[in-house]
């Protein structure tokens, strides 16, 4: 992480006080200035922080990332307690769509890994429809099981042969971040981003919350309605626990 970016610790996890425009500037700088070095970008909030709190191996992965940008209203609220006036509008899964404006203009190449073949087809069509010069050099939907070593090596080889500037990995948190961390020495890509739900949003397979709902911080409720089986546990179980633990941190009743 660049030394100029301040950070805070939330339940022991380093969260960088950075917003989408700054993340995009860093990605562009890394592609053009450090193309032979892999840079891992994490975009997460309460969900990722709670995963790290429960699992030390996840905590190590997140701590090793070059940038961990806050996502979600709860992480934004905690940042504001520490004096950082982050805007909800400038955080979240829109990074993929917004960075595509830069990639379209500068010729940065994309590769998508994760989700279903149908989602990736729709994602590619949606992006190239909006950004006519965007170069998508490949995508891969892995099987929903543990890959064999041969399959894993073949996927890495396919990615490297395509020579993308940005590899977007949409396997879900924390699986995608672990995958990136475990392959950091064999991937020849300057920027790798844990995409989370961005594939579904940008492809249109899951509708985004209305702008007012999003800006007010109620996207979690929208997602609960849209994808109850996927997010109910984090909304109904992890979020209340997160708030209690953060309260203990802020009141200095507990250290992490």
């Amino acid at each position: 992480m660049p030394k100029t970016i301040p950070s805070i610790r939330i339940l022991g996890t380093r969260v960088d006080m950075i917003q989408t425009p700054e993340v995009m500037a860093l990605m562009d700088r890394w592609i053009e200035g450090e193309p032979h070095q892999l840079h891992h970008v994490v975009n997460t909030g309460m969900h990722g922080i709670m995963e790290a709190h429960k699992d030390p191996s996840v905590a190590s992965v997140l701590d090793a990332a070059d940038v961990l940008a806050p996502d979600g209203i709860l992480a934004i609220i905690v940042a504001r307690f520490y004096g950082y006036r982050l805007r909800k509008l400038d955080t979240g899964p829109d990074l993929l769509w917004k960075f595509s404006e830069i990639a379209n203009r500068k010729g940065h190449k994309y590769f998508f890994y994760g989700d279903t073949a149908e989602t990736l087809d729709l994602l590619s069509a949606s992006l190239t429809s909006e950004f006519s010069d965007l170069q998508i050099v490949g995508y891969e939907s892995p099987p929903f099981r543990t890959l064999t070593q041969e399959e894993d090596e073949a996927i890495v080889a396919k990615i490297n042969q395509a020579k993308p500037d940005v590899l977007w990995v949409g396997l879900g948190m924390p699986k995608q971040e672990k995958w990136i961390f475990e392959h950091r020495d064999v991937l020849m890509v300057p920027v790798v981003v844990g995409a989370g739900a961005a594939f579904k949003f940008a492809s249109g397979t899951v509708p985004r919350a209305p702008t007012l709902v999003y800006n007010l911080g109620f996207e979690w409720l929208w997602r609960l309605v849209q994808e109850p089986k996927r997010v109910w546990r984090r909304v109904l179980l992890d979020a209340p626990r997160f708030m209690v633990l953060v309260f203990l941190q802020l009141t200095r009743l507990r250290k992490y």
Side-chain angles (χ1 to χ4, degrees):
M1 179 192 68
K3 295 180 180 179
T4 56
I5 301 175
S7 64
I8 62 175
R9 290 273 172 180
I10 304 179
L11 307 186
T13 296
R14 186 201 85 234
V15 179
D16 300 319
M17 298 294 94
I18 188 172
Q19 299 184 106
T20 299
E22 298 165 290
V23 175
M24 294 193 299
L26 275 177
M27 291 169 61
D28 185 47
R29 187 189 313 164
W30 286 331
I31 292 168
E32 296 187 345
E34 300 177 15
H36 302 298
Q37 179 179 343
L38 185 144
H39 303 85
H40 181 184
V41 176
V42 177
N43 195 40
T44 192
M46 178 276 298
H47 178 46
I49 294 169
M50 284 301 293
E51 291 294 327
H53 179 72
K54 293 181 285 187
D55 186 345
S57 68
V58 177
S60 297
V61 169
L62 296 189
D63 209 42
D66 293 88
V67 165
L68 193 156
D71 176 22
I73 190 61
L74 293 180
I76 298 300
I77 290 173
V78 177
R80 289 174 179 171
F81 269 103
Y82 284 93
Y84 295 98
R85 308 305 298 177
L86 303 184
R87 297 197 315 155
K88 182 70 178 74
L89 182 62
D90 288 329
T91 64
D94 288 329
L95 177 63
L96 168 57
W97 192 268
K98 291 181 178 179
F99 189 75
S100 295
E101 298 176 8
I102 296 175
N104 184 65
R105 186 174 70 252
K106 292 196 169 185
H108 299 330
K109 300 184 293 292
Y110 281 3
F111 194 107
F112 301 122
Y113 178 59
D115 217 298
T116 66
E118 179 186 9
T119 295
L120 296 180
D121 286 339
L122 291 170
L123 173 64
S124 298
S126 178
L127 286 171
T128 53
S129 175
E130 180 70 20
F131 308 103
S132 58
D133 293 326
L134 184 64
Q135 299 182 57
I136 299 174
V137 294
Y139 53 84
E140 181 74 20
S141 173
F144 288 89
R145 57 170 171 77
T146 302
L147 301 182
T148 65
Q149 182 177 345
E150 291 75 15
E151 289 173 328
D152 186 70
E153 291 174 352
I155 287 172
V156 170
K158 181 178 181 179
I159 294 169
N160 287 340
Q161 288 168 7
K163 298 180 179 180
D165 297 302
V166 186
L167 169 61
W168 300 90
V169 182
L171 300 174
M173 167 65 76
K175 184 179 179 181
Q176 63 194 20
E177 313 306 342
K178 287 185 173 182
W179 187 89
I180 295 169
F181 181 80
E182 291 165 359
H183 293 80
R184 65 195 185 281
D185 293 329
V186 293
L187 287 168
M188 294 183 289
V189 185
V191 177
V192 186
V193 185
F199 286 3
K200 297 184 183 302
F201 291 147
S203 67
T205 55
V206 174
R208 291 301 306 270
T211 302
L212 179 61
V213 174
Y214 178 85
N215 288 339
L216 289 175
F218 288 104
E219 188 173 30
W220 59 271
L221 182 59
W222 178 268
R223 288 202 65 192
L224 181 61
V225 173
Q226 297 292 327
E227 301 180 280
K229 292 183 179 180
R230 183 179 179 86
V231 305
W232 76 268
R233 184 177 297 276
R234 73 181 74 164
V235 171
L236 301 180
L237 299 181
D238 283 350
R241 187 182 177 202
F242 175 84
M243 288 186 284
V244 171
L245 294 174
V246 167
F247 172 78
L248 296 176
Q249 173 179 319
L250 294 175
T251 55
R252 300 185 180 181
L253 293 174
R254 188 170 177 181
K255 293 182 178 181
Y256 302 96

